[in-house]
Structure formats: C-alpha cells, structure tokens
Amino acid sequence: SVERQTGRRPAELDGPELPADGAHVWEWFLELSAGRGSNGFGPNPISWLDLLAWTTMTGTITRPAEIEAILAVDRVWLVASAADGQISPARGGR
C-alpha cells in the first residue's frame, strides 16, 4: 500500500533472498495463484482440489513438504491481501 501510494518501495518490504532449493515452490505457488477463483467477496484459498488438478494437468510430482509450503504461502498471501484492502478477512480470508 505504501509503495503504491508513494511510488517508493520501503526497504522493510524486501525480505531475504529466496533459497535456490525453494524457488520451484514459489513458482508453483504463482502458477496455482494465477488460476485461483473468487467467491464474490475476494479470492479463494488454494484448495486440495486445485492442487490435485494442477499436479494432474502439469504432471508435476510434489513431496508432501512442498504442498504444505504452498499452502502456508497461500495463507500468508491471503492475510497480506486482506491487510492491503483487497479482501475482507472476515469474509474472504482464512
């Protein structure tokens, strides 16, 4: 929100570099997030069915820890989206 309003990115928004061995999980999250639906109040969380469809359609083989990481990132993304005013946490977040 600050970056959008001021046109400057505060240094506090830049986190640590993504570890190379985790970059694929971030890419997978972005793919899944791009296909997420909404419920009229905001974006839906990535569901187990979304994950099943994505792995089936792409042929991606995942480990349980990678799925848990995607879901954890999704939970954080939903909270951040709600805090940014994009969705209401009472109606669209987890």
Side-chain angles (χ1 to χ4, degrees):
S1 180
V2 170
E3 182 178 10
R4 190 174 56 244
Q5 292 174 15
T6 65
R8 294 182 317 202
R9 183 173 180 82
E12 297 85 16
L13 293 179
D14 295 327
E17 289 293 319
L18 186 64
D21 58 352
H24 67 286
V25 174
W26 177 248
E27 292 298 322
W28 293 347
F29 166 75
L30 294 176
E31 287 178 24
L32 283 155
S33 188
R36 86 171 63 237
S38 70
N39 59 19
F41 297 105
N44 288 332
I46 294 171
S47 71
W48 289 105
L49 273 176
D50 296 329
L51 289 162
L52 176 62
W54 173 77
T55 57
T56 301
M57 296 297 294
T58 63
T60 303
I61 298 171
T62 62
R63 294 180 301 214
E66 293 166 328
I67 295 296
E68 289 302 319
I70 290 168
L71 295 175
V73 169
D74 190 49
R75 287 189 294 273
V76 172
W77 183 87
L78 287 168
V79 169
S81 295
D84 195 30
Q86 294 180 16
I87 62 174
S88 167
R91 293 187 269 179
R94 279 193 195 176

